[in-house]
Amino acid sequence: MKNFITFPLLVLLLSASLNAQDNMFTLKDNVVNLGVGIGSIYGSGIYSNTTIPPVSISFETAIKDEVLEKGVIGVGAYLGYTSYRWKNTYSNIEYGWKYSNIVVGARGSFHYPLLDKLDTYLGVMLGYNIVSSSSFGTNVGTYDYTPDAGSIAFSGYVGSRYYFSDSFFGFLELGYGISYLNLGIGLKL
């Protein structure tokens, strides 16, 4: 997993030696991302299957420019959701649990332009994961796997936004969060 995050980060940092282009994300810009994730740390396992893939919405505003010449620092908010089922069969009796995860967090990103119409960035998120669950079928075990709980959520990511126009873009993020790969669209407000 460490290589999954380290390699894209290394590529982004080495690419910074290229001649930088004009930044698509500038001071006081506001953007909204809507994404769908592929792969998730939640609900993985032999008896689990995803019922709703990871979906997310995030907002970011540029607060500081001219960092390392053309770099921009952005901060914002994040909201993500996914749900999955864990089920098993014992003596022809199907039973299991339904889980949902809501991740609410604050993100900080460093943007540095590498190519025209492409906003490249890396960042971190700190938030809270709200977990709820319910059982279905006949519970044949003696354990209660239906807790509602929560925990700190941390994510590191590297991403890019390709601008189709001055305000509309597609984006891709790789990282460790509600999903490993997040694809979507967004608007610059």
Side-chain angles (χ1 to χ4, degrees), residues 19 37 62 77 86 116 146:
N19 288 334
W86 185 95
D116 285 335
T146 59

XYZ file of all heavy atoms in Angstrom, residues 19 37 62 77 86 116 146:
51
model
N 9.104 22.675 -17.236
C 8.682 24.071 -17.266
C 7.208 24.154 -16.924
O 6.372 23.555 -17.579
C 8.928 24.674 -18.654
C 10.394 24.880 -18.918
O 11.175 25.040 -17.993
N 10.773 24.864 -20.183
N -15.993 6.610 -6.634
C -14.763 5.888 -6.348
C -14.753 4.466 -6.860
O -15.796 3.838 -7.043
N -8.817 28.518 -3.173
C -7.387 28.842 -3.194
C -7.118 29.982 -2.211
O -7.740 31.035 -2.295
C -6.958 29.238 -4.600
N -13.606 21.420 2.113
C -14.390 20.433 2.845
C -14.662 19.223 1.960
O -14.668 19.323 0.734
C -15.704 21.052 3.290
N -22.195 -7.543 4.376
C -21.442 -8.746 4.713
C -22.479 -9.823 4.925
O -23.378 -9.662 5.763
C -20.629 -8.518 5.989
C -19.741 -9.676 6.335
C -18.433 -9.821 6.015
C -20.115 -10.853 7.073
N -17.948 -11.010 6.495
C -18.976 -11.671 7.155
C -21.284 -11.311 7.653
C -18.975 -12.901 7.795
C -21.285 -12.539 8.287
C -20.135 -13.319 8.364
N -0.645 22.593 -19.909
C -1.788 23.463 -20.187
C -3.096 22.723 -19.912
O -3.218 21.531 -20.213
C -1.778 23.926 -21.649
C -0.728 25.003 -21.895
O -0.366 25.702 -20.938
O -0.271 25.125 -23.049
N -23.269 -5.421 14.904
C -24.089 -4.311 14.428
C -23.824 -3.017 15.191
O -24.749 -2.279 15.502
C -25.585 -4.659 14.521
O -25.897 -4.944 15.876
C -25.924 -5.844 13.641
